[in-house]
Amino acid sequence: MDVYGLLGNPVGHSLSPPMHEAGYEKLDIDARYVTFEPPVEKGAEAVESAAMLGVSGLNVTIPFKQDVLDAVEPDDIAARIGAVNTIDFSTDPPTGYNTDAAGLVRAFEHHGVSLEGQAVLVGAGGAGRAAAFALADEGMTVGIANRTVEKGVDLAADVTESAVDGTASGHALDTLSELLADADVLVNATSVGMEEDRSPVPEDALHGDLAVLDAVYSPIETRLLREAAAAGATTVDGAWMLLYQGVEAFERWTGEDAPVDAMNEALRAHLE
Ligand code: NAP
């Protein structure tokens, strides 16, 4: 039996175990997905221990996404983002991936959105970094608006220096209306809207030519998505990004096409 798991602290309410185990069941793969909660300063050691114990793969969440870089060989985009959320132990050293980036792209693809033109990204934390590199690698021009402006400006400089194709610039939140006027894509990667009825974006800045993804998945229908839908925009909820980061990890670990529908059903059953 193969053992996969999630490394985090805390990991109590993770949705990854039911999502991945639905995939194993559908494809008749003899595997289990469990959670590991080591002390916060022991992320890299936990990865070394997992390798020794024969764990096949790990997802990594807060607060370990940066710390585990010391214990893996990151692929190109994980190294540029500076964070790893998926580890494959079939290589020596283990390989580190950031499937949040690919998850975001595949979530848009699932909704028929082509990532071309101008993107506006709100937020420059962990999810924001992954989103910024993902959108720029697709060739988009990315305007990053963040509460702490400097953080967005620094992220934009990192992205512009190393993106495969696109460029980025950093802005204050109060320029969002201006940024959004000609934008094709909007991503919320702040925690605004999580367990609260607030949006980080002025309602009157939303319009029908936008595709809007909210990384927040609790609630599934955030105020931003509700207002975006009312403005005629295409909307993509945060569970799609969560699903596809898991699908990417599943496919890297097992070498099989993930049973996306079964994993999606299991995930949403635990969200709704
Ligand atoms: P993080 O690293 O802590 O970053 C938080 C971001 O939110 C920062 O940009 C922060 O701005 C901004 N922010 C927080 N409170 C704010 C406020 N009151 N007004 C304006 N901006 C505010 O968190 P994270 O890991 O990136 O996660 C962000 C969200 O994405 C969470 O809701 C998380 O659940 C979600 N997420 C979803 C997925 C998915 O697969 N769907 C994956 C990862 C994360 P400052 O820089 O100024 O502090």
Side-chain angles (χ1 to χ4, degrees), residues 43-44 57-58 73 78 82 132 153 156 166 174 200 218 223 243-244 246 248:
L58 283 179
E73 183 71 40
V153 170
D174 63 11
S218 181
R223 181 168 182 165
L243 170 70
Y244 276 108
E248 276 282 319

Side-chain angles (χ1 to χ4, degrees), residues 75 86 88 90 97 99 102 247-256:
D75 78 346
T86 299
D88 175 11
S90 68
Y97 299 103
T99 68
V247 161
E248 276 282 319
F250 186 104
E251 293 180 344
R252 286 170 195 275
W253 290 332
T254 65
E256 308 272 354

